[in-house]
């Protein structure tokens, strides 16, 4: 899809496509059922929410903390004629009390020596361990899934895959790595490369990272 993306709104990239690949597989099975509800947390341009609506999900809700992202996603849904409701707010706050068959999220996960700040950097900057948003999402997701609901989350392996799996399992979900790919560092990661080397997180001159999609399900 060609989507409106204002300055400061996260552009769909390799992580978005990897998550979409996993989501399409889930949606093929889910959309055979009536009244399937999907939530996209941190929607950005709305790419994943729009894909879910296009695949036939009965009700798709998207959330973003950025008003620019909310307005962009609303416009993109209107232009494409897809029934996506876009809410403004932090993580799952705007849909508190609701339950979903599928929750999708491409949260900020980039490790940074600088603290989380306002502005465009918050679309990727997730603190020194890359987990400032992931941990909160892992804690909230179990209570928002239907009885057989699924969470699909994409992150960098540098942000602690085992920590994510453990946190989701502590919440009562079964969790594992669904998809994995290796990509070259983008501009942001390249700027942080020297610091990542100093922290012992990458080898000298290493300029690639693994992206993983984690699948967690209430059983």
């Amino acid at each position: 899809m060609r989507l409106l993306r204002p300055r400061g709104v996260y552009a769909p990239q390799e992580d978005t496509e990897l998550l979409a690949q996993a989501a399409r597989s889930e949606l093929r099975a889910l959309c055979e059922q009536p009244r399937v509800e999907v939530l996209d947390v941190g929607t950005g341009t709305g790419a994943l929410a729009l894909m879910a609506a296009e695949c036939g999900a009965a009700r798709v809700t998207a959330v973003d903390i950025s008003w620019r992202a909310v307005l962009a996603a609303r416009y993109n849904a209107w232009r494409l004629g897809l029934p996506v409701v876009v809410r403004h707010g932090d993580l799952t706050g705007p849909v508190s009390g609701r339950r979903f068959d599928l929750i999708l999220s491409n949260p900020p996960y980039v490790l940074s020596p600088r603290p989380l700040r306002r502005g465009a950097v918050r679309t990727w900057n997730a603190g020194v361990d890359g987990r400032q948003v992931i941990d909160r999402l892992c804690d909230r997701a179990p209570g928002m899934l239907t009885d057989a609901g699924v969470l699909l989350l994409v992150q960098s392996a540098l942000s602690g895959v085992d920590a994510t799996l453990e946190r989701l399992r502590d919440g009562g979900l079964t969790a594992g790595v669904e998809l994995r790919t290796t990509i070259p560092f983008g501009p942001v990661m390249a700027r942080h490369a020297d610091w990542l080397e100093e922290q012992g997180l990458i080898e000298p001159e290493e300029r690639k990272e693994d992206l993983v999609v984690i699948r967690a399900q209430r059983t």
Side-chain angles (χ1 to χ4, degrees):
M1 305 176 187
R2 296 190 63 180
L3 302 176
L4 172 71
R5 186 187 70 83
R7 185 175 180 179
V9 176
Y10 187 76
Q13 299 178 50
E14 293 95 337
D15 50 4
T16 312
E17 179 52 40
L18 191 68
L19 183 54
Q21 182 182 340
R24 289 186 192 103
S25 297
E26 295 290 338
L27 286 163
R28 275 194 291 270
L30 278 175
C31 288
E32 294 177 358
Q33 307 169 21
R35 304 182 61 81
V36 169
E37 295 215 23
V38 177
L39 173 66
D40 179 19
V41 181
T43 195
T45 61
L48 292 165
L50 295 168
M51 180 270 299
E54 195 171 45
C55 287
R59 187 179 184 189
V60 181
T61 306
V63 176
D64 205 290
I65 197 171
S66 161
W67 267 114
R68 286 189 183 186
V70 168
L71 295 174
R74 286 176 178 171
Y75 172 81
N76 288 326
W78 170 80
R79 185 174 65 85
L80 294 168
L82 292 170
V84 174
V85 175
V86 188
R87 303 293 188 200
H88 175 257
D90 182 33
L91 282 180
T92 61
V95 291
S96 178
R98 289 177 56 191
R99 301 177 76 193
F100 298 87
D101 302 290
L102 179 63
I103 298 177
L104 306 173
S105 187
N106 181 2
Y109 56 71
V110 172
L111 291 76
S112 171
R114 292 175 289 278
L116 187 63
R117 298 180 297 182
R118 296 181 63 84
V121 295
R122 69 181 176 182
T123 66
W124 61 77
N125 183 350
V128 294
D129 61 0
R131 302 196 59 83
Q132 288 189 4
V133 177
I134 291 173
D135 283 344
R136 294 170 59 213
L137 180 61
C138 289
D139 290 345
R140 295 188 187 187
M144 302 192 68
L145 291 171
T146 57
D147 289 343
V150 172
L151 166 71
L152 292 175
L153 163 71
V154 65
Q155 67 169 85
S156 170
L158 295 173
S159 304
V161 173
D162 288 343
T164 301
L165 296 175
E166 182 177 354
R167 206 168 188 108
L168 291 168
R169 289 165 183 163
D170 286 346
L173 306 181
T174 59
V177 174
E178 184 78 0
L179 293 175
R180 181 186 296 266
T181 192
T182 302
I183 64 168
F185 278 0
V188 175
M189 290 293 288
R191 289 197 297 270
H192 295 171
D194 290 343
W195 175 76
L196 292 169
E197 285 186 21
E198 292 170 5
Q199 302 302 306
L201 296 169
I202 62 172
E203 298 295 327
E205 304 305 320
E206 183 181 354
R207 296 299 182 267
K208 293 182 179 181
E209 65 175 328
D210 283 353
L211 296 178
V212 300
V213 173
I214 291 173
R215 181 184 189 275
Q217 183 171 24
R218 179 174 296 284
T219 57

